[in-house]
Amino acid sequence: MTLRPGLATCEAMQSNSSSFPDWHGTTILAVRKNGSTVIAGDGQVSMGPTVVKGNARKVRRLAGGKVVAGFAGATADAFTLIERLEAKLEQYPHQLARACVDLAKDWRTDRYLRKLEAMLLVADKTAIYTVTGVGDVLEPGESLGGGAVAAIGSGGNYALAAGKALIDLDLSAEDIARKAMGIAAEICVYTNGNLTVESL
């Protein structure tokens, strides 16, 4: 179901999965529950089969700490996109959806930005969005209990499945994020247990 131009649910993402690149090298997970939003990212940086760093920070606070963004893909490309997102948030303060949609439009149409190989997971206290280079801004569906989970990266599907299984249990958003990321780290060789966790 389309929420607004450029904004779709995760179901739409799944139906269009052939257009999404297979990013390796990280896992980023967002969990929203009971008024709390958490984004967690692992610290592993891989170059082919080699681990070159184990404590990278792939989760950042933006907009004076009111927005959190995590990235998967090429680090330099991701930093370029995060800088663009910060500029959009300055242009549209307190309008995260509009800033994300505007970034996705630029990303899809700008000749330079189109070459960037990364994905972003962005959240504030009320919403979570996955932003992609194919021009989509995707919002996860809510669980029966009202929580939401989204993930990107090579271990994203493992973290997403674990998060969805835990979301309706009597656990906080941070507890769910940490447990789900731990499960992903046990399965995905491109993901480790050195977490950066930011809460809103």
Side-chain angles (χ1 to χ4, degrees):
M1 180 178 71
T2 300
L3 302 178
R4 61 191 76 154
L7 191 63
T9 63
C10 279
E11 286 78 10
M13 180 177 72
Q14 292 167 353
S15 67
N16 194 29
S17 60
S18 61
S19 63
F20 281 76
D22 185 19
W23 300 122
H24 289 293
T26 196
T27 301
I28 305 293
L29 174 70
V31 179
R32 189 181 76 248
K33 182 176 181 181
N34 296 335
S36 177
T37 301
V38 174
I39 293 188
D42 80 301
Q44 182 167 309
V45 177
S46 305
M47 189 174 294
T50 304
V51 177
V52 295
K53 188 172 183 178
N55 61 345
R57 289 184 59 87
K58 305 169 192 172
V59 179
R60 309 276 175 176
R61 283 186 174 270
L62 310 173
K66 296 177 183 176
V67 172
V68 177
F71 62 84
T75 304
D77 292 355
F79 283 151
T80 298
L81 291 167
I82 285 176
E83 287 175 4
R84 292 287 186 117
L85 178 59
E86 282 192 289
K88 297 295 183 185
L89 289 167
E90 290 177 7
Q91 185 178 356
Y92 306 115
H94 312 296
Q95 298 180 65
L96 180 59
R98 184 171 181 181
C100 288
V101 168
D102 222 42
L103 174 65
K105 287 178 182 177
D106 290 352
W107 193 352
R108 181 172 53 87
T109 58
D110 184 276
R111 184 174 295 177
Y112 168 70
L113 292 179
R114 273 202 311 257
K115 297 177 182 178
L116 300 183
E117 297 181 349
M119 291 180 76
L120 298 179
L121 194 55
V122 185
D124 61 13
K125 290 202 73 157
T126 61
I128 299 169
Y129 302 108
T130 303
V131 187
T132 77
V134 295
D136 288 323
V137 178
L138 309 163
E139 184 175 24
E142 290 193 349
S143 71
L144 293 176
V149 183
I152 58 173
S154 59
N157 284 340
Y158 308 121
L160 180 65
K164 283 181 172 287
L166 296 167
I167 192 70
D168 291 325
L169 300 182
D170 187 20
L171 296 169
S172 69
E174 182 170 341
D175 288 341
I176 292 168
R178 289 185 180 278
K179 287 178 180 291
M181 288 293 291
I183 291 168
E186 291 179 1
I187 300 170
C188 177
V189 296
Y190 296 103
T191 302
N192 69 17
N194 295 334
L195 301 183
T196 300
V197 180
E198 295 286 355
S199 302
L200 295 167

